[in-house]
Amino acid sequence: MSETPPENPDFDAMTRDIAEVPAVEVIVTVAVNLMSAAAVKLGLSEEGEKYKDLDEARKLITGLAGLLDASATEISSFHAAPLRDGLKSLQLAFREASVVPDEPGQGPGEKYTGPVYG
């Protein structure tokens, strides 16, 4: 038997739960979600072309780059380095997937990261 969600969610409990999560963990979680969504929109998921949408991928990659740029001093290099590597991989994948690739420095998120070369 499945449980149905309550009519009124317990916002106080949800607030307490999020209050216990360190800011770095929230930032990293959001970054990983952006990376995952961008990968899907680049057609890198199992279903590939079905969800490919380069316009949406551009927005997600730019958002990820902005988040990482803004939070660089707040999160340690332990957390930031793999996220930056993932971002660069997404930027390169975007360039590869584009019919007419952006010039270096003009791709998604490159106003925050600088030009990305393969």
Side-chain angles (χ1 to χ4, degrees):
M1 184 177 245
S2 65
E3 291 184 30
T4 58
E7 290 295 319
N8 297 317
D10 186 355
F11 291 114
D12 291 335
M14 292 182 344
T15 300
R16 281 191 304 274
D17 289 345
I18 197 69
E20 295 171 8
V21 179
V24 170
E25 191 173 325
V26 173
I27 293 167
V28 169
T29 300
V30 170
V32 169
N33 286 329
L34 287 168
M35 290 175 77
S36 298
V40 169
K41 296 297 185 177
L42 285 170
L44 302 175
S45 67
E46 284 184 22
E47 302 203 27
E49 295 294 317
K50 182 177 179 181
Y51 300 110
K52 188 173 182 178
D53 184 336
L54 294 183
D55 184 52
E56 290 290 300
R58 178 184 293 277
K59 294 171 187 170
L60 292 162
I61 294 168
T62 299
L64 173 61
L67 174 65
L68 294 181
D69 183 55
S71 62
T73 59
E74 305 300 326
I75 61 177
S76 67
S77 60
F78 174 79
H79 294 290
L83 294 173
R84 283 192 300 265
D85 290 344
L87 171 59
K88 182 178 179 181
S89 294
L90 290 169
Q91 289 171 311
L92 292 171
F94 183 91
R95 185 165 286 131
E96 250 181 56
S98 298
V99 175
V100 179
D102 297 315
E103 292 294 320
Q106 302 302 309
E110 290 184 22
K111 71 179 181 179
Y112 300 108
T113 64
V116 175
Y117 301 98

